[in-house]
Amino acid sequence: MNILVVNDDGIKAPGIQALVRALSKAADVYVCAPDGQRSAKSHSVTLGQPVTIEAVDFPYAKEAYQTSGSPADCTKIGLQFFEEAGVKIDMVYSGINMGSNLGRDTLYSGTVGAAAEAALSGYHAVAVSADDHQATHFDVAGQLAVDVIEKVYGKVDPHTVISINVPNLPREEIKGVKFVRLGQRYYDDKFHLVEDNKYKLSGQPADFKDEAEEFDVTAVANDYATITPLQFDFTDYENLETVKKWGFNI
């Protein structure tokens, strides 16, 4: 099996290094990652300007590229370049992200966006995240990444992204794995003046612990790892039937 690994934290981030190391025990791993931090780039791609692509050495990977593009660019580039070189990619993994991707975070996340690009192209895709921007515990996330290979490959709709989120805790402190839906995650954030006419967005997640544990945000806050399948058909089918009755004439 050949696995392409991408991320949004950059090719030197400890999370992607841990993920490649873990996956290399089960598959041949190929890497295409940004040359620097690209968090919150969602599913953006680079248009109207060139993207640099450079071959680099990467421990435990068969081959690797770093690019100046977005996370979704990395997925597109990795799939194209490695397959043009004769490597048939079977699955795409994105992560391990430094910081969780829970609830509405999935709309902003470059990690999920890179996985979504693979899923929309018909590849089995998995996004893996650790619940801390300074995460140091990757062993459980790496184990779950390997464990889901046989659960996903050839068995789950390839247009679905499997999103894994793991608390940044030692293995013995993680209570287990919950299979949950997306919850709400509110942010108390604002643009703050930093100098002259320059502003910076900053803030913290607001309280969400009153949600039930069947939601991802609460389960991770309560020290469970979570797995959530994501689809990218945004159609509200119930209200589609409502709007069909509007009957506009033009």
Side-chain angles (χ1 to χ4, degrees), residues 143-159:
Q143 176 190 324
L144 288 174
V146 172
D147 288 348
V148 300
I149 293 175
E150 65 176 24
K151 306 293 186 184
V152 171
Y153 187 70
K155 299 174 183 176
V156 173
D157 180 352
H159 296 96

Side-chain angles (χ1 to χ4, degrees), residues 34-95:
D35 55 15
Q37 178 60 251
R38 302 285 193 280
S39 289
K41 293 297 184 182
S42 188
H43 202 150
S44 66
V45 294
T46 304
L47 298 175
Q49 58 184 349
V51 174
T52 61
I53 304 168
E54 179 184 5
V56 295
D57 292 327
F58 197 104
Y60 300 97
K62 294 293 184 181
E63 294 181 63
Y65 292 104
Q66 67 176 12
T67 86
S68 63
S70 69
D73 286 334
C74 291
T75 300
K76 296 173 75 69
I77 291 166
L79 291 172
Q80 176 186 334
F81 276 49
F82 290 124
E83 293 193 347
E84 286 178 348
V87 178
K88 178 185 179 299
I89 298 298
D90 298 298
M91 297 183 70
V92 177
Y93 275 74
S94 185

Side-chain angles (χ1 to χ4, degrees), residues 223-244:
D223 300 336
Y224 287 92
T226 64
I227 296 179
T228 304
L230 306 176
Q231 285 272 347
F232 294 90
D233 178 354
F234 294 129
T235 307
D236 181 340
Y237 287 98
E238 181 177 349
N239 282 307
L240 179 60
E241 298 307 311
T242 299
V243 300
K244 284 180 179 179

Side-chain angles (χ1 to χ4, degrees), residues 120-230:
L120 292 173
S121 300
Y123 292 83
H124 291 295
V126 180
V128 188
S129 304
D131 188 35
D132 194 318
H133 292 292
Q134 304 298 324
T136 56
H137 298 284
F138 299 112
D139 56 331
V140 173
Q143 176 190 324
L144 288 174
V146 172
D147 288 348
V148 300
I149 293 175
E150 65 176 24
K151 306 293 186 184
V152 171
Y153 187 70
K155 299 174 183 176
V156 173
D157 180 352
H159 296 96
T160 297
V161 171
I162 300 299
S163 179
I164 300 171
N165 283 274
V166 182
N168 181 40
L169 294 171
R171 181 184 298 271
E172 61 272 15
E173 295 182 26
I174 296 177
K175 296 178 180 177
V177 180
K178 286 184 175 286
F179 301 87
V180 291
R181 58 175 293 184
L182 295 180
Q184 296 295 320
R185 190 174 200 181
Y186 302 98
Y187 282 85
D188 181 15
D189 57 355
K190 294 181 180 179
F191 281 93
H192 299 275
L193 181 67
V194 290
E195 60 175 299
D196 297 331
N197 63 340
K198 296 180 180 179
Y199 290 77
K200 183 177 181 181
L201 181 66
S202 62
Q204 296 293 328
D207 185 24
F208 51 79
K209 292 188 178 182
D210 58 344
E211 288 193 4
E213 270 194 26
E214 69 258 23
F215 293 113
D216 58 352
V217 289
T218 312
V220 170
N222 289 328
D223 300 336
Y224 287 92
T226 64
I227 296 179
T228 304
L230 306 176

